[in-house]
Amino acid sequence: MAVNLRHQVRQLYKNLMFLGREYPKGQDYFRQRCKAAFIKHKDETDPEVIKMLIARGDYVIKELEALYMLRKYRTLKKRYYPS
């Protein structure tokens, strides 16, 4: 694996761990699932496949950010607009 791809994979893992702190099912659940996904693909050596997996990880990051933004929006809505 090229040094640049290795750096991107490590950065992706760090970002996912950081975002997983606020996961609705808990940080431990998220950490176990994320670690299992990375271990599943640890022996991958094809750069194109690695880039595809990095792209999938970036998509997961965007989905997590959207989930957190929606949760904040719902909280604010409940606070200021009672049902």
Side-chain angles (χ1 to χ4, degrees):
M1 180 169 21
V3 175
N4 189 23
L5 288 177
R6 182 180 302 270
H7 176 71
Q8 287 179 353
V9 170
R10 293 182 79 197
Q11 192 63 36
L12 175 67
Y13 189 77
K14 285 181 182 180
N15 288 341
L16 285 169
M17 289 296 115
F18 179 77
L19 288 173
R21 294 185 308 170
E22 297 181 25
Y23 194 70
K25 288 189 175 182
Q27 181 181 4
D28 292 333
Y29 174 82
F30 184 83
R31 187 175 344 130
Q32 290 171 357
R33 298 282 305 249
C34 186
K35 186 175 180 180
F38 273 81
I39 288 175
K40 180 180 175 183
H41 298 289
K42 73 177 182 175
D43 296 326
E44 195 61 55
T45 57
D46 184 22
E48 294 303 317
V49 175
I50 294 171
K51 288 178 184 176
M52 182 196 67
L53 293 169
I54 290 171
R56 185 182 300 164
D58 289 337
Y59 175 77
V60 170
I61 286 175
K62 289 178 185 176
E63 288 294 316
L64 284 172
E65 288 172 347
L67 175 72
Y68 297 155
M69 292 298 289
L70 182 62
R71 186 174 66 186
K72 288 179 183 178
Y73 169 76
R74 287 179 178 166
T75 302
L76 288 172
K77 188 176 177 183
K78 283 181 187 177
R79 188 173 294 158
Y80 294 109
Y81 302 105
S83 317

